[in-house]
Amino acid sequence: MSTTWKNWSKSVTARPRSVVRPWTLPALEHTVEAAIDDGRRIKAIGSGHSFTDIAVADDVQLDLSKYSGIVALDLARQQVTLRSGTKLWQIPELLADTGLALQNLGDITQQSIAGAIATSTHGTGLAFGGLASQVVGVELLTGTGETLTVSTSRNPELLDALRVTLGAFGIITSITLQLVCEYDLHTVVNRQSLSSIIQNWHGHNTRNDHFEFFWFGHDDHVLAKTSQRIPVQNQSDAARTPLTSRLLDEVITNGGLSVVCHLGRMQRSWVPWLNRVATRAWGSADRRAHWSHAFNSSRRVRFNEMEYALPFDDIPEIITELRTLFRRGQLSSTFPLEVRAAAPDTAWLASNHGRRTGYIAVHQHFAQDHREYFGRIEPIFKAAGGRPHWGKLHTLDAADLADVYPHWSGSLALRDQLDPHGIFSNPYLSRVLGT
Ligand SMILES: Cc1cc2nc3c(=O)[nH]c(=O)nc-3n(C[C@H](O)[C@H](O)[C@H](O)COP(=O)(O)OP(=O)(O)OC[C@H]3O[C@@H](n4cnc5c(N)ncnc54)[C@H](O)[C@@H]3O)c2cc1C
């Protein structure tokens, strides 16, 4: 019996012919071997938190939600090997009492470790890469029935090729992460003028461990969020995070935003005014939290998103161009843009490959057509040499991507070698890889 699968934003649907949920490595290996023998296509899914159709499985859907937990923990090297279906929110619990932590995280922790890394998921911090930068080892089952064990010590170049995979090179069974000593984050959130933020874009990112800002495009102010890494304090997180800060988070990302989106959908001409009201509702916050709670926030208002990785130094110019379009009424959205940064990475298909990166993300409520809004912005990102987030909406194809990824042909050749019959492919991969 076929079941219907939907991604988080409900923009993508799949009807796999069969769904397999292995609990053990032998069961997982058997499922992949059977698919190869029977000439079927097989696709692993994580938590379905990609906005693109990258995780669509129309034949065998490999649901790894039960394949989670620690395979090995090396306290001396500060490394952990996790089963590929482990969710990011499970990791702090798995590392409890080790004094170890992930180096950096994005906005949410619902994703699986393999799914998040496959799409080059990132947070912010100019001295830090994304999740893929923390990977020191990967084990994967290839389309030819082999098990490939890749690590920084054995085969570093191959690891660079296989840290960000888009799900195209094989089924990842485990991932080894380099951890760091646990830390707290001291975070300050406040309203600042957009002009001063873009004038000091470089300084904000070099002076702070983590910097990002949220901007409703019709307003001249932004919500700036700066965080410093500090030693862990032995207090409960509730004591470290004042209630006002938690309420502020709730209002910004959920309750208040939901009302703004509703009103903006009712009457589009109200959007500039709603942007200004929403920006003024932003208060300030000063909080301290353990790393395990500091990065993520809950996102209950559903949306669709496009995000591009851009040359770090070009962010002020691109934001200025977008501001002009908002002022002329050529762009409109009830959601704020989110702007972040990351250090360069050597992973071949990482969106921050080889350059200091600034990220600009744009969102639209899931019940609203995003195509006009995203369609006006995407050419600006593309012209700036941007690389789309693999898990977020974009229209680029293989020819476009070959221009912005220096290892593109090497990636395609490796994929032909590891998956010669395209058993891990789907329509999204056919578009972006061109085969
Ligand atoms: C509310 C929300 C907030 C987000 N915030 C951020 C953010 O802050 N930063 C950011 O960069 N992104 C963010 N994202 C995007 C998200 O991190 C990525 O799309 C991520 O890939 C989703 O992980 P997942 O586990 O749901 O993977 P899925 O979407 O289920 O799958 C993604 C890809 O991984 C592959 N895959 C999964 N498991 C395996 C495996 N074991 N072996 C091989 N391939 C595998 C799938 O086949 C697919 O190709 C956000 C998304 C949402 C919905």
Side-chain angles (χ1 to χ4, degrees), residues 8 43-51 54-55 64 84 106-108 111-112 114-116 118-122 165-167 170-172 299 303 307 340 389 391-392:
W8 177 84
K43 179 130 290 282
I45 53 157
S47 305
H49 272 58
S50 295
F51 301 90
I54 189 168
L64 295 175
S84 52
D107 288 341
I108 59 156
Q111 309 96 318
S112 67
T119 58
S120 195
T121 291
H122 62 92
T165 66
L166 283 60
I171 302 295
I172 291 173
R299 296 289 157 102
F303 53 83
E307 184 181 51
R340 298 183 273 184
H389 189 302
K392 301 186 184 181

Side-chain angles (χ1 to χ4, degrees), residues 30-101:
H30 172 76
T31 308
V32 177
E33 278 160 22
I36 295 172
D37 291 346
D38 299 346
R40 296 183 65 177
R41 296 212 291 182
I42 180 165
K43 179 130 290 282
I45 53 157
S47 305
H49 272 58
S50 295
F51 301 90
T52 55
D53 46 348
I54 189 168
V56 161
D58 53 10
D59 195 351
V60 183
Q61 184 189 65
L62 188 59
D63 178 345
L64 295 175
S65 50
K66 300 205 182 310
Y67 191 67
S68 66
I70 291 186
V71 178
L73 179 64
D74 184 334
L75 289 174
R77 289 202 173 94
Q78 301 192 326
Q79 293 178 353
V80 67
T81 302
L82 297 165
R83 291 190 184 91
S84 52
T86 306
K87 300 288 193 290
L88 299 182
W89 59 262
Q90 295 178 307
I91 299 176
E93 187 70 37
L94 293 168
L95 296 179
D97 303 325
T98 63
L100 298 172

Side-chain angles (χ1 to χ4, degrees), residues 179-417:
L179 304 169
V180 296
C181 291
E182 65 176 333
Y183 52 90
D184 277 0
L185 278 194
H186 176 209
T187 300
V188 175
V189 181
N190 55 27
R191 208 154 63 91
Q192 296 191 31
S193 85
L194 176 65
S195 304
S196 84
I197 287 286
I198 54 180
Q199 265 163 25
N200 297 302
W201 167 244
H202 188 269
H204 285 303
N205 281 285
T206 47
R207 275 197 307 276
N208 297 293
D209 290 328
H210 305 274
F211 175 72
E212 67 184 306
F213 69 89
F214 297 88
W215 169 46
F216 283 106
H218 288 287
D219 200 74
D220 288 336
H221 287 81
V222 305
L223 188 80
K225 186 173 170 188
T226 58
S227 301
Q228 313 298 342
R229 298 158 84 96
I230 51 174
V232 173
Q233 251 185 12
N234 286 327
Q235 278 177 17
S236 75
D237 284 305
R240 280 184 261 165
T241 306
L243 184 63
T244 46
S245 299
R246 282 181 273 140
L247 285 175
L248 184 70
D249 258 2
E250 180 56 27
V251 169
I252 291 167
T253 51
N254 294 308
L257 189 56
S258 170
V259 174
V260 165
C261 289
H262 180 69
L263 294 173
R265 286 207 321 281
M266 271 170 55
Q267 187 66 44
R268 197 177 157 157
S269 61
W270 291 351
V271 172
W273 173 76
L274 287 166
N275 273 198
R276 287 191 283 275
V277 171
T279 307
R280 267 150 203 70
W282 278 337
S284 50
D286 187 325
R287 65 181 177 223
R288 184 183 179 128
H290 189 244
W291 73 274
S292 54
H293 295 124
F295 292 105
N296 58 307
S297 51
S298 72
R299 296 289 157 102
R300 290 203 308 279
V301 184
R302 259 171 232 282
F303 53 83
N304 278 304
E305 182 174 345
M306 173 175 79
E307 184 181 51
Y308 267 69
L310 298 148
F312 174 80
D313 293 332
D314 295 352
I315 293 295
E317 195 182 325
I318 297 167
I319 292 288
T320 305
E321 191 172 352
L322 295 179
R323 178 168 61 181
T324 304
L325 296 181
F326 275 106
R327 282 179 174 168
R328 286 190 194 142
Q330 288 169 291
L331 293 178
S332 178
S333 173
T334 48
F335 267 82
L337 291 85
E338 185 177 10
V339 184
R340 298 183 273 184
D345 193 338
T346 50
W348 288 6
L349 296 179
S351 59
N352 53 333
H353 176 87
R355 68 184 184 201
R356 288 199 313 178
T357 295
Y359 289 97
I360 304 180
V362 296
H363 312 74
Q364 193 70 293
H365 191 271
F366 84 107
Q368 240 176 316
D369 193 344
H370 56 267
R371 284 173 296 187
E372 185 187 343
Y373 177 50
F374 291 3
R376 288 194 175 158
I377 295 176
E378 192 173 30
I380 298 171
F381 291 166
K382 194 178 163 197
R387 299 172 181 147
H389 189 302
W390 298 114
K392 301 186 184 181
L393 297 168
H394 69 92
T395 64
L396 300 202
D397 61 18
D400 301 314
L401 292 158
D403 288 341
V404 287
Y405 280 99
H407 290 279
W408 191 252
S409 57
S411 295
L412 294 188
L414 182 64
R415 193 247 192 163
D416 283 349
Q417 197 187 320

